[in-house]
Amino acid sequence: MRYIIFCCTLMCFFFLPNFASADIQQLFDQANSEYIKKNYSVAIHDYESIIRNNGGSPALFYNLGLAYAQAGQSGKAILNMERARNLAPGDSEITAFLAEFKKKQGVFTAPPEGAEKITSLLDINQWALLGFASLLLFSFTQLLSLLLQEKKKFWLLLTNKCSLIATVLIFSVVAYMWDEINPYIVTTESGKLLISPIKEADLVLSLREGQQLFPIKKHGEYLYVRDSHNRKGWILSHSLEAVNNPQIFNLSQP
Amino acid sequence: MKTAQKNILHSYYCTIFLTLFLLFSGVHQVMASPEIDVDLSTTEIPLNDFAILTVRLINTDKGELIMPKLDGINIHKRGQSRQVSIINGKMSSSTSYTYMLSGEKKGKYTLPPIILKSQGKIIKSKSIKFSILAESSTNNLQKSGQNSTIQKSPSDLAIIQVSSPKKMYIGETVPIEIKLFFAADTRIEPGSIHLPEISGKGVIMTPLSTTPKENREEYKGKIWNTLSWQTTLSAIKEGENSVSITADAVALLRQAQRKRSQRHTPFDSFFGGNPFDDPFFDNAFTNYARKPLHLLWKNNINVLPLPANGKPENFSGAVGDFDISVSTRVKEIEVGDPLLLQISVSGAGNFDKLNIPELPPENRWRTYPPKVHFEPIGNSGGGQKIFEQAVVIKDSSITAIPPLSLCYFNPELKKYITKKSTPIPLKITGKTSNYNEQSILPETKTTTLTKKEDNLQILNIDIGSLSKDLRPLPQRQWFQVAVLLLLLFCIVTYFVRHLQKRKERNKEQELRKKSIRRLQEDLVTLHAAKENNDSTLFLHACRVAIQNSLARRCGIHPSVVSLGDIVKVLPGSSPVIEIFSMTDTASYGNKSIPATELDKIYYQLKNELESLL
């Protein structure tokens, strides 16, 4: 009897998540079929409901981005493509499509200059992982040095010193990129950067849908932001949406 | 009063300014480069008829027009008109001269260029080819002066003619021409002509254009107005197929004829004659009988099956004659970047059965369903089918896009043909991409493709693993905790190592102190033995002092330190070795040392041992 109960528990443990994921896959397929039927607004609704209730994946955000692109909302399309890229930074398809789409929408990304040439070699996640790996190596060599008191080897000392230098350098890069860790995307057609946080304020510049901005501070409904050229100004916060916005998973079902 | 005068003066200046503006803009237009355009109303003129020659002078109305002279051809001036148009603020003007052109004898002629001498320039028009045909029967009938109803059989009024093949291969597309002949002297009710329709099971016809080619031809000794369509027939069912093409129209037969000039005027149109020959006027003064015309063409077409012998495996059903070419704008590409191949298949045949010539399946690239568009060339089934195929290169070892093969059946040669494109050299940069196999191999399972205009978009089908955290790694709590723990570990190990080193250093210092203390004790013993001139005790004390001092260096207990151990740790010239060997000799040989030597050995040993600490 105990054996049967154990087996049942084990089966529940293994199969229940599969049933759940099968349901999500079914919802995803349904959303895809709406997309293929060109019912883009329905597809968007379906994709977003999966994201709200279950979380997102690169494929899900990518498809949502495509649906927004087809529906003519280029800002939202770029936002979701960026989210897909954040989750799968090594996916060349997403990266290539995003670059192509941005180019078509006229969203210009300035080429990296100076130190940015080095930092742009990897994205922040990759740098962080590399830094973590070098820190782990340093810790390991420290432990070995502790254990092998009398028998210290040259290679161990060399690895120890190199891993320490690498850790410091890599985390310096992460610190340099920290300012741009949480970008916002302009999701409305008439995004305006104002000189002060009031409606009647003078215009600094008009923003293109899909343009990337970085928040500095908040005042009421307005966000003080800078763009990639370091031009600063105030913008209505509902004109923007954060790429790494955790609230997208917590919204209640409309 | 002054204000009124000012206003008058102001409006006066405005008028002058506007006049000057219009004058100069007009001058500008006149000064634009003059052109000459020539048009002949028909290129086939019956002997007893004439054609209208229109000469248009564009952007000029001044100059000398020199008309060419041609043997057997008469050109008479009929009128002149001028047209001025302003479109989007741009003004243009043209002057048209109308001439009647008639022939005296049958033959083919070329009207030489008409010359315009204007503003010191000589401008020539294009030359026009035309022919003078036999006399029109219409006028013969009219010349006979019949006033009663003209009774005509349908074949006299209209004919249908189709140039169709007797044999076709299944899937083959053959260009055909459908031509409707209407007697030139017969009026056809406007809007009564229906497009020819095909009936029959084994053959289908490409829909006809609503604007057929209009012409006037001589056929079987008669002049006919013709409507012709260029289209294609496609065989879809094997066997003997009966095919018929029908067309309907309504002829208006005159029952009473008004005496009216039947000569053609510049206002002639295809079926209506001049505006005063309009049915409104005719119906007012003349009775017409409506005669429905049903034109039928019938033929048997034998549709042959494609030969089974020599049919290639990749044959998709394309029948005709095609050429393949592959091009790409990109010559250098990075691994993982998409490459757009433009595969163009041109020729004539059933393009609908023509599938994309595929790249050989390989894991080194990934292909997506192509975007296809077809550009017809003419109405004879020719055209160009262009496949835009997206390819993602995954391997840096690729040096070229391999040749693509196109397989089709050529009905003229009656055999299957396989044509290959030329390979395209490619320079691939970057490292081989590490795509996971799941996303490469079952392409239809993981991705599907949709198109919107120029965009090639790949829709993911596999949802993948879901995550509820979009933040980058450095912002995630687990990552921060892990980094902090590792840092803490490193700090702890650093301090532990530091403490260990300190402890070691203290231990060393302790041992050194102990050694110094012991040496001082040994030296006291030595000194006492030296003062007593006891050489045996002195030598023994020397031995003990050396052993105590060098025991730590030799890594052994002091009592077991031998001469061999000392030689190993001290340089050969050291006096300590000599003293120790002297103690050895004294202990085994019972040898004594003179008292004078003891003092010297004491100080020498003391210095040496103190320096060794």
Side-chain angles (χ1 to χ4, degrees):
Chain A
M1 186 63 187
R2 278 180 187 176
Y3 180 73
I4 293 166
I5 292 168
F6 175 74
C7 286
C8 288
T9 317
L10 209 64
M11 280 174 72
C12 286
F13 182 76
F14 280 109
F15 288 107
L16 272 178
N18 284 342
F19 287 139
S21 65
D23 281 349
I24 297 163
Q25 181 63 47
Q26 206 175 344
L27 288 170
F28 187 59
D29 292 343
Q30 194 183 323
N32 281 348
S33 65
E34 293 294 343
Y35 178 96
I36 290 161
K37 284 181 211 163
K38 298 188 177 178
N39 298 330
Y40 299 122
S41 54
V42 181
I44 288 167
H45 175 268
D46 290 356
Y47 288 134
E48 284 186 338
S49 67
I50 299 172
I51 292 168
R52 270 190 221 103
N53 300 323
N54 307 288
S57 70
L60 191 48
F61 280 119
Y62 181 76
N63 285 11
L64 178 60
L66 286 184
Y68 269 121
Q70 297 284 22
Q73 296 184 47
S74 57
K76 289 261 188 188
I78 291 172
L79 173 77
N80 285 288
M81 289 288 174
E82 289 280 6
R83 284 172 177 164
R85 192 173 63 165
N86 269 11
L87 288 177
D91 194 318
S92 54
E93 249 172 55
I94 295 174
T95 310
F97 182 81
L98 181 61
E100 186 65 26
F101 186 73
K102 274 184 167 181
K103 199 174 162 187
K104 275 189 183 169
Q105 297 303 318
V107 179
F108 177 70
T109 310
E113 285 177 354
E116 279 179 5
K117 279 184 183 171
I118 298 165
T119 58
S120 64
L121 290 174
L122 300 173
D123 70 43
I124 195 159
N125 285 341
Q126 290 166 326
W127 279 118
L129 270 179
L130 202 63
F132 186 77
S134 56
L135 183 61
L136 201 66
L137 184 66
F138 177 66
S139 312
F140 183 66
T141 52
Q142 282 283 97
L143 185 68
L144 278 183
S145 305
L146 207 66
L147 296 174
L148 308 172
Q149 280 178 14
E150 299 299 323
K151 302 168 188 174
K152 279 177 191 168
K153 304 268 182 187
F154 172 73
W155 63 263
L156 184 63
L157 283 170
L158 185 73
T159 315
N160 184 268
K161 301 299 172 200
C162 288
S163 58
L164 178 64
I165 294 166
T167 306
V168 172
L169 287 177
I170 292 166
F171 277 108
S172 304
V173 171
V174 173
Y176 180 82
M177 294 172 85
W178 193 263
D179 273 356
E180 296 183 358
I181 202 166
N182 195 17
Y184 277 60
I185 302 289
V186 180
T187 52
T188 53
E189 280 180 25
S190 53
K192 286 175 186 170
L193 214 57
L194 304 174
I195 207 158
S196 52
I198 48 169
K199 200 178 170 184
E200 297 78 17
D202 285 345
L203 184 74
V204 177
L205 78 153
S206 290
L207 297 166
R208 198 176 275 273
E209 205 175 350
Q211 201 167 329
Q212 205 171 47
L213 298 170
F214 304 99
I216 299 168
K217 59 184 175 185
K218 194 174 180 183
H219 182 269
E221 279 188 317
Y222 285 84
L223 271 176
Y224 189 57
V225 293
R226 67 171 180 85
D227 71 355
S228 55
H229 298 283
N230 225 20
R231 290 173 296 196
K232 292 170 187 170
W234 293 91
I235 186 169
L236 270 170
S237 54
H238 66 72
S239 306
L240 303 171
E241 202 170 325
V243 174
N244 308 321
N245 184 8
Q247 287 179 343
I248 59 167
F249 301 115
N250 304 329
L251 293 173
S252 56
Q253 192 81 19
Chain B
M1 189 68 184
K2 275 186 179 180
T3 317
Q5 274 181 345
K6 260 186 182 179
N7 284 342
I8 291 163
L9 206 65
H10 186 73
S11 59
Y12 175 71
Y13 284 139
C14 281
T15 314
I16 291 172
F17 175 76
L18 276 171
T19 315
L20 282 172
F21 173 77
L22 287 170
L23 194 68
F24 278 107
S25 56
V27 167
H28 169 76
Q29 289 305 321
V30 172
M31 292 300 282
S33 63
E35 290 170 35
I36 183 165
D37 183 35
V38 180
D39 183 47
L40 193 63
S41 62
T42 176
T43 54
E44 289 169 341
I45 310 156
L47 264 176
N48 56 347
D49 210 335
F50 60 86
I52 302 300
L53 177 69
T54 311
V55 182
R56 264 180 84 223
L57 307 183
I58 303 159
N59 295 329
T60 183
D61 54 356
K62 289 174 184 175
E64 189 189 351
L65 204 60
I66 303 166
M67 296 302 291
K69 285 180 181 173
L70 209 58
D71 278 344
I73 301 295
N74 301 318
I75 302 172
H76 303 288
K77 192 174 178 181
R78 292 295 301 268
Q80 179 182 341
S81 66
R82 188 158 193 271
Q83 191 181 3
V84 178
S85 61
I86 300 171
I87 299 165
N88 293 335
K90 286 187 177 180
M91 192 169 76
S92 62
S93 67
S94 68
T95 309
S96 298
Y97 296 91
T98 314
Y99 296 87
M100 275 171 57
L101 190 148
S102 59
E104 290 173 0
K105 56 182 177 183
K106 282 203 294 182
K108 289 185 177 177
Y109 297 86
T110 302
L111 183 73
I114 297 166
I115 296 164
L116 170 71
K117 283 184 181 175
S118 172
Q119 296 163 16
K121 289 179 183 175
I122 293 177
I123 302 150
K124 286 182 180 179
S125 72
K126 60 182 180 184
S127 55
I128 299 174
K129 287 181 179 177
F130 63 96
S131 11
I132 303 292
L133 307 172
E135 277 189 15
S136 163
S137 57
T138 314
N139 284 7
N140 289 344
L141 281 170
Q142 284 157 6
K143 278 174 188 170
S144 66
Q146 294 177 13
N147 274 341
S148 58
T149 306
I150 303 163
Q151 296 291 335
K152 291 175 181 177
S153 68
S155 62
D156 288 338
L157 299 172
I159 306 168
I160 183 167
Q161 201 180 60
V162 179
S163 59
S164 145
K166 294 274 181 196
K167 282 180 185 178
M168 287 172 82
Y169 279 99
I170 184 92
E172 188 183 351
T173 302
V174 176
I176 61 161
E177 187 186 44
I178 300 171
K179 196 180 266 187
L180 302 184
F181 291 78
F182 295 97
D185 57 346
T186 306
R187 287 176 62 90
I188 302 295
E189 192 175 71
S192 70
I193 303 171
H194 293 280
L195 281 178
E197 288 177 357
I198 190 168
S199 55
K201 283 182 180 175
V203 176
I204 54 169
M205 185 174 76
T206 309
L208 299 176
S209 160
T210 51
T211 52
K213 192 179 167 189
E214 295 174 12
N215 211 345
R216 183 173 277 214
E217 292 179 25
E218 186 184 9
Y219 178 65
K220 290 182 179 173
K222 266 183 83 176
I223 302 294
W224 304 81
N225 290 322
T226 63
L227 294 175
S228 59
W229 289 265
Q230 300 284 339
T231 185
T232 56
L233 275 186
S234 299
I236 55 166
K237 189 185 163 195
E238 289 174 18
E240 194 77 20
N241 293 293
S242 173
V243 179
S244 58
I245 294 173
T246 54
D248 291 300
V250 176
L252 295 173
L253 300 178
R254 212 170 291 180
Q255 287 179 323
Q257 192 174 4
R258 281 185 297 129
K259 281 269 182 186
R260 198 166 67 227
S261 168
Q262 290 297 312
R263 288 194 64 85
H264 289 273
T265 70
F267 305 103
D268 268 7
S269 63
F270 185 72
F271 289 116
N274 74 43
F276 303 103
D277 277 346
D278 191 270
F280 172 79
F281 298 103
D282 284 334
N283 287 335
F285 306 104
T286 317
N287 289 327
Y288 273 92
R290 291 178 78 254
K291 184 172 179 61
L293 301 172
H294 183 71
L295 305 171
L296 173 70
W297 172 87
K298 223 173 177 183
N299 195 13
N300 280 345
I301 297 175
N302 188 12
V303 178
L304 305 168
L306 294 176
N309 287 343
K311 188 186 276 189
E313 277 183 11
N314 59 341
F315 175 69
S316 62
V319 180
D321 191 15
F322 305 99
D323 273 316
I324 180 172
S325 69
V326 181
S327 65
T328 177
R329 287 180 185 174
V330 183
K331 300 289 172 197
E332 190 174 336
I333 193 168
E334 280 194 14
V335 170
D337 279 359
L339 169 79
L340 198 68
L341 281 184
Q342 185 163 316
I343 304 160
S344 166
V345 179
S346 57
N350 56 347
F351 279 96
D352 55 321
K353 284 282 179 77
L354 196 74
N355 293 340
I356 180 171
E358 287 181 349
L359 274 171
E362 261 208 64
N363 282 341
R364 295 193 298 161
W365 50 67
R366 184 180 183 182
T367 58
Y368 297 98
K371 182 188 172 191
V372 186
H373 68 272
F374 178 70
E375 289 169 4
I377 299 170
N379 295 316
S380 55
Q384 190 179 28
K385 195 169 186 176
I386 296 166
F387 304 88
E388 284 181 348
Q389 165 112 66
V391 181
V392 175
I393 303 291
K394 298 189 300 176
D395 197 326
S396 58
S397 66
I398 293 169
T399 54
I401 296 290
L404 306 182
S405 60
L406 172 73
C407 180
Y408 63 92
F409 178 76
N410 188 322
E412 282 183 20
L413 302 173
K414 295 179 183 173
K415 65 177 184 180
Y416 294 96
I417 308 277
T418 300
K419 281 187 180 169
K420 286 194 172 184
S421 67
T422 49
I424 302 170
L426 267 185
K427 191 178 175 189
I428 313 287
T429 55
K431 289 180 181 173
T432 301
S433 175
N434 53 349
Y435 277 81
N436 60 49
E437 283 302 309
Q438 198 194 353
S439 65
I440 300 161
L441 297 173
E443 218 167 80
T444 49
K445 272 190 175 179
T446 54
T447 59
T448 185
L449 196 94
T450 62
K451 290 170 223 158
K452 187 192 180 185
E453 292 168 4
D454 292 336
N455 294 338
L456 197 66
Q457 293 151 5
I458 302 140
L459 197 65
N460 283 298
I461 286 183
D462 188 6
I463 193 168
S465 57
L466 296 166
S467 160
K468 281 203 169 187
D469 199 350
L470 280 174
R471 289 170 301 167
L473 272 183
Q475 278 192 329
R476 294 194 191 181
Q477 214 169 9
W478 68 263
F479 183 82
Q480 290 171 349
V481 170
V483 170
L484 278 175
L485 283 175
L486 279 178
L487 277 175
L488 201 67
F489 176 77
C490 292
I491 292 165
V492 168
T493 49
Y494 174 78
F495 276 110
V496 170
R497 268 189 74 188
H498 181 71
L499 287 173
Q500 271 182 349
K501 275 185 179 174
R502 202 170 165 182
K503 202 175 166 185
E504 277 171 20
R505 214 162 35 239
N506 288 344
K507 199 177 168 184
E508 191 75 18
Q509 280 175 347
E510 196 63 33
L511 284 171
R512 196 165 174 266
K513 277 180 187 171
K514 205 176 167 183
S515 301
I516 292 167
R517 214 164 35 240
R518 183 172 282 182
L519 180 63
Q520 280 172 350
E521 284 168 11
D522 289 342
L523 287 175
V524 168
T525 316
L526 261 176
H527 190 261
K530 186 192 78 170
E531 290 298 317
N532 294 335
N533 285 330
D534 187 347
S535 67
T536 314
L537 186 63
F538 181 80
L539 286 173
H540 178 72
C542 281
R543 184 183 177 83
V544 171
I546 292 168
Q547 280 180 323
N548 284 338
S549 297
L550 296 176
R552 204 158 60 88
R553 189 170 281 204
C554 296
I556 50 177
H557 195 268
S559 61
V560 293
V561 173
S562 65
L563 183 65
D565 298 322
I566 294 166
V567 168
K568 279 180 193 170
V569 296
L570 290 179
S573 59
S574 175
V576 178
I577 297 170
E578 196 187 336
I579 294 166
F580 195 81
S581 67
M582 201 186 291
T583 61
D584 261 2
T585 316
S587 63
Y588 297 117
N590 204 12
K591 194 181 171 182
S592 61
I593 301 166
T596 52
E597 287 287 310
L598 291 179
D599 207 34
K600 187 186 164 191
I601 292 170
Y602 171 76
Y603 286 110
Q604 202 175 14
L605 188 66
K606 188 190 171 194
N607 289 338
E608 282 295 318
L609 291 178
E610 277 175 352
S611 68
L612 285 173
L613 283 173

